[in-house]
Amino acid sequence: MNTVNNVNDVEAADAAHAAATSTTAETTRTAHATANPADATESATETGAATGAATGTLARVDDLDARIITLVQERRTVLAGIRQTRVEAGGHGGLAREMEVLDRYRKELGRPGTQLAMTLLALCRGQL
């Protein structure tokens, strides 16, 4: 029974400490904002500006993604025509050409570029 009381006392003390800490932190923030209203306004303005800049930047990234998707779709269409022409002429796929593409992406983007090129080539072959 004594252990239960000790546990309850510790839990109650922890709850009281958490409440006091929360109240103290809020009081400090309020006092600072009241003492320095210009600081509070400046902070809010900076936060708003940062949020606006991030939103604008994210919109630009979304636009870039849309353009990349459009370009990949266009690449698929062009390569489908080339494939059709090769098949009609009795030819086969262009392994040497794919190796050139892999090499170009690796040179421009490093090792991850090779993975990107492999994915792009598979997409354009219709394998994904």
Side-chain angles (χ1 to χ4, degrees):
M1 183 95 160
N2 196 14
T3 304
V4 171
N5 286 338
N6 288 339
V7 170
N8 288 339
D9 290 344
V10 170
E11 289 174 352
D14 285 345
H17 176 71
T21 303
S22 175
T23 302
T24 302
E26 183 60 34
T27 302
T28 302
R29 279 193 298 273
T30 303
H32 182 71
T34 304
N36 300 307
D39 290 347
T41 303
E42 186 177 311
S43 178
T45 302
E46 288 172 0
T47 302
T51 302
T55 301
T57 302
L58 288 174
R60 182 159 185 251
V61 169
D62 289 343
D63 180 57
L64 290 169
D65 286 341
R67 289 169 44 199
I68 291 167
I69 291 167
T70 299
L71 289 170
V72 169
Q73 291 169 337
E74 182 179 346
R75 190 179 198 282
R76 289 174 80 175
T77 300
V78 169
L79 287 173
I82 292 170
R83 240 185 343 271
Q84 183 63 35
T85 302
R86 280 190 183 153
V87 168
E88 290 171 358
H92 298 286
L95 182 59
R97 170 72 179 143
E98 287 192 0
M99 294 305 293
E100 290 173 11
V101 171
L102 289 169
D103 189 51
R104 182 175 351 139
Y105 275 72
R106 182 190 51 76
K107 284 180 182 175
E108 293 294 326
L109 303 172
R111 180 174 278 174
T114 303
Q115 292 176 313
L116 178 61
M118 291 175 69
T119 300
L120 182 61
L121 291 169
L123 272 168
C124 291
R125 277 191 234 110
Q127 294 181 339
L128 294 180

